[in-house]
C-alpha cells in the first residue's frame, strides 16, 4: 500500500477550509447592504469599516494560496494520461490564485484610500476623482485577467476530467467552478438581500464547493 504524506492525505480538506475562509474574507472586504461592489468608482468601499477591509485583505493573502492544494489534489488524479496538459493546468491555477491575492490587497488599499479622501474638502473633488480613475486603471486589467483565468482553468480541468479515466462522475463536467459561480452570483440581480453576500464570495465559494465534490470522490476511491 502506498505510504502517503500528510499533505497527500489532507490536501483537499486544507483547500476546502482555505476556500471557505477566502469566501468569508470576500464578504468582509466587499459586502455592504447597498451592494455596488461591481461599480468601478469604488464608492461602496466607503460603507465598509476599516477593520473589515483590513481583515478581509489579510485573510485573503494568507489563505487563498492554500486553495491551490485542491487543484494539486485533482492534478494527481488526472495527470497519468496527459501529464503535460495537467501540469499546465495546475500552473495556471497557481498563477490564478497569485493574481487573486493582488486583487484582495488592492481592494483593501483602495478602500482605505477612499475613506481617507472623504475627509478632504470639496476643493479637492476633481483631484480625488482623478486619483480613483487612476486606481481603476490598476484594478481593471488585473480583475479582467482573474476572470479569464477563472474560465480557462475551469475549462482545462473539466476537459482533462472528461478525457481521462478517473474517479470523477460525468456530471462534474457541468458542476464546475464557473457554473457554480454563476449560480451563486445570480441572486445579486434578483434577490439583493442574499446576493450582496453571495456575489462577492462567489469566486472562492465556487472552488470550496468544487473541491468538496472532488475530495469526496477521491477519498471514496481511496477507502
Amino acid at each position: 500500500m502506498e505510504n502517503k504524506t500528510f499533505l497527500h492525505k489532507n490536501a483537499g480538506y486544507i483547500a476546502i477550509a482555505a476556500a471557505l475562509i477566502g469566501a468569508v474574507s470576500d464578504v468582509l472586504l466587499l459586502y455592504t447592504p447597498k451592494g455596488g461592489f461591481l461599480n468601478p468608482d469604488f464608492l461602496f468601499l466607503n460603507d465598509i469599516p476599516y477593520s473589515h477591509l483590513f481583515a478581509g485583505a489579510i485573510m485573503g493573502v494568507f489563505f487563498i494560496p492554500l486553495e491551490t492544494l485542491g487543484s494539486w489534489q485533482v492534478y494527481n488524479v488526472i495527470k497519468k494520461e496527459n501529464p503535460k496538459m495537467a501540469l499546465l493546468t495546475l500552473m495556471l491555477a497557481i498563477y490564478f490564485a497569485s493574481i487573486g491575492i493582488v486583487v484582495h490587497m488592492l481592494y483593501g488599499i483602495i478602500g482605505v484610500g477612499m475613506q481617507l479622501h472623504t475627509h478632504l474638502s470639496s476643493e479637492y473633488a476633481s483631484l480625488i476623482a482623478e486619483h480613483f480613475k487612476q486606481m481603476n486603471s490598476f484594478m481593471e486589467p488585473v480583475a479582467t485577467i482573474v476572470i479569464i483565468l477563472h474560465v480557462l482553468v475551469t475549462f482545462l480541468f473539466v476537459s482533462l476530467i472528461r478525457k481521462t479515466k478517473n474517479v470523477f462522475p460525468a456530471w462534474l463536467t457541468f458542476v464546475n467552478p464557473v457554473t457554480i459561480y454563476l449560480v451563486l452570483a445570480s441572486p445579486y440581480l434578483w434577490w439583493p438581500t442574499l446576493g450582496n453576500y453571495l456575489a462577492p464570495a462567489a469566486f472562492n465559494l465556487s472552488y470550496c464547493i468544487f473541491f468538496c465534490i472532488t475530495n469526496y470522490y477521491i477519498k471514496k476511491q481511496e477507502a
Side-chain angles (χ1 to χ4, degrees), residues 27 35-36 72 74 83 134 162 184 198 203:
V27 174
W72 178 67
V74 175
Q134 292 173 355
R162 288 187 64 183
L184 293 173
L198 280 182
F203 263 118

Side-chain angles (χ1 to χ4, degrees), residues 11-209:
Y13 299 119
I14 295 171
I16 291 166
L20 187 58
I21 294 171
V24 172
S25 76
D26 287 330
V27 174
L28 287 171
L29 193 61
L30 302 173
Y31 168 76
T32 70
K34 300 175 185 176
F37 83 99
L38 294 177
N39 297 342
D41 57 16
F42 304 111
L43 290 175
F44 73 97
L45 292 170
N46 277 321
D47 299 325
I48 302 174
Y50 171 83
S51 60
H52 288 196
L53 290 173
F54 179 81
I58 295 300
M59 286 168 65
V61 167
F62 286 113
F63 286 96
I64 287 175
L66 296 176
E67 293 181 43
T68 58
L69 288 174
S71 298
W72 178 67
Q73 185 192 41
V74 175
Y75 160 79
N76 283 320
V77 172
I78 62 177
K79 67 181 180 181
K80 293 180 181 179
E81 295 186 33
N82 198 335
K84 291 183 179 179
M85 183 62 72
L87 181 59
L88 173 63
T89 305
L90 176 63
M91 291 172 66
L92 285 173
I94 295 170
Y95 184 50
F96 171 36
S98 301
I99 297 177
I101 295 168
V102 175
V103 172
H104 248 76
M105 188 55 74
L106 278 175
Y107 267 116
I109 292 170
I110 292 172
V112 172
M114 173 68 77
Q115 293 179 16
L116 286 175
H117 282 167
T118 61
H119 300 293
L120 298 177
S121 60
S122 58
E123 63 184 287
Y124 293 102
S126 60
L127 179 62
I128 293 169
E130 180 61 27
H131 186 191
F132 284 100
K133 183 179 179 181
Q134 292 173 355
M135 284 187 176
N136 190 46
S137 71
F138 277 82
M139 178 66 83
E140 201 169 66
V142 177
T144 301
I145 292 298
V146 164
I147 294 170
I148 292 172
L149 287 172
H150 179 51
V151 174
L152 179 59
V153 169
T154 297
F155 173 78
L156 290 172
F157 267 130
V158 166
S159 296
L160 286 165
I161 287 171
R162 288 187 64 183
K163 292 177 181 179
T164 61
K165 296 178 182 179
N166 54 67
V167 301
F168 304 121
W171 54 261
L172 201 59
T173 301
F174 306 101
V175 182
N176 59 63
V178 169
T179 57
I180 296 170
Y181 173 84
L182 292 174
V183 170
L184 293 173
S186 63
Y188 185 75
L189 300 175
W190 50 269
W191 190 7
T193 303
L194 177 63
N196 289 341
Y197 282 103
L198 280 182
F203 263 118
N204 284 301
L205 205 52
S206 66
Y207 282 96
C208 179
I209 295 170

